[in-house]
Amino acid sequence: MMTQTPSSRPPLASAYQKNVSGILLAAGLSTRMGEPKQLLPFGESTIVETVVDSMLAAKFDEVIVVIGHRASEIEKQLGARPIKTVFNPDYRDGMLTSAQTGIRARKENSIFALMLVDQPFITSARINQVIVAYQQTEKGIAVPSYNYKRGHPAIFDEKYASDILDLDTESDGVRTLLKKYSDDIHYVTVDADDVLRDIDDREDYERALKEK
């Protein structure tokens, strides 16, 4: 484990004094699903709309949706919601490129939370739980944890933006950062697996529909 010295990272400013940008990674190809899971029906809308609406109801100062595959259809589906959509031209190169696209598009010096489009069970209340926990800790990263497994949203102080932007597609993505700065993570223990559950394939989707 890396031992972090006071000089290794810049000090945190008060989290309450910073904007919190919610970044939704919604640019993927959905290869295991066989069709864009962002646009699949879920409840009274679609998967992407469900996640975006939860984000809009949470304590984010802005919601950024990173799009790529079938971008125009997703953008049309989201309609006039008060969000910022940004196109990732490198979406075929993996999720890291979408995280980098969203980070570049956020408000200057803002804290940022990374969320995945295939996790529609994460509610605004859960998002707020992680945001509040982040604001109450001196750590630079907050991650929800269920049964000792990391979930989403993962919240980062803006000091980590450059680290993520410096990663390349051959790396382990944002997980590289979580390993490198493991001593700067505050784990937020939650009481349900919504922070872990995702929809990767048709079986996951059918199960999710039954539980919706």
Side-chain angles (χ1 to χ4, degrees):
M1 180 182 296
M2 175 180 173
T3 301
Q4 191 171 336
T5 63
S7 59
S8 63
R9 307 294 306 170
L12 281 170
S14 170
Y16 284 108
Q17 297 174 359
K18 292 187 175 183
N19 291 318
V20 184
S21 300
I23 300 173
L24 179 63
L25 311 184
L29 292 164
S30 305
T31 51
R32 279 178 283 182
M33 182 65 71
E35 60 182 306
K37 55 189 170 185
Q38 302 97 316
L39 297 170
L40 289 173
F42 193 78
E44 297 180 358
S45 57
T46 60
I47 290 177
V48 67
E49 289 175 277
T50 299
V51 180
V52 167
D53 288 343
S54 292
M55 294 176 71
L56 287 171
K59 297 178 182 295
F60 288 133
D61 293 282
E62 64 173 347
V63 173
I64 298 167
V65 181
V66 183
I67 53 179
H69 183 56
R70 307 281 284 270
S72 59
E73 294 170 64
I74 294 170
E75 196 166 23
K76 181 179 179 180
Q77 195 69 42
L78 292 173
R81 287 174 173 85
I83 60 175
K84 178 190 294 184
T85 56
V86 289
F87 180 74
N88 172 20
D90 302 313
Y91 67 90
R92 293 180 182 276
D93 294 331
M95 194 180 300
L96 172 62
T97 64
S98 289
Q100 292 170 330
T101 298
I103 288 168
R104 292 189 189 99
R106 80 195 194 287
K107 292 179 179 178
E108 187 175 1
N109 299 324
S110 69
I111 296 163
F112 56 95
L114 298 178
M115 295 190 61
L116 308 181
V117 75
D118 62 359
Q119 293 190 308
F121 286 101
I122 297 177
T123 64
S124 58
R126 182 69 77 202
I127 296 168
N128 288 342
Q129 180 183 0
V130 183
I131 292 174
V132 170
Y134 176 84
Q135 292 172 329
Q136 293 175 345
T137 183
E138 294 298 316
K139 301 287 188 177
I141 304 170
V143 179
S145 172
Y146 180 75
N147 280 351
Y148 303 101
K149 295 180 180 178
R150 291 194 299 252
H152 288 87
I155 302 181
F156 299 85
D157 185 79
E158 59 92 16
K159 68 184 182 181
Y160 286 117
S162 59
D163 291 81
I164 297 176
L165 293 176
D166 286 342
L167 294 172
D168 61 46
T169 54
E170 300 302 314
S171 72
D172 198 23
V174 176
R175 285 187 292 270
T176 303
L177 204 71
L178 299 178
K179 293 175 184 177
K180 184 175 182 181
Y181 299 112
S182 59
D183 58 338
D184 200 28
I185 300 174
H186 172 60
Y187 285 103
V188 185
T189 302
V190 300
D191 59 2
D193 68 351
D194 54 327
V195 299
L196 306 177
R197 293 186 61 187
D198 55 12
I199 298 175
D200 283 329
D201 53 30
R202 180 62 58 174
E203 184 178 347
D204 290 341
Y205 177 55
E206 297 295 340
R207 187 184 307 114
L209 289 179
K210 292 177 182 178
E211 299 177 21
K212 173 60 179 171

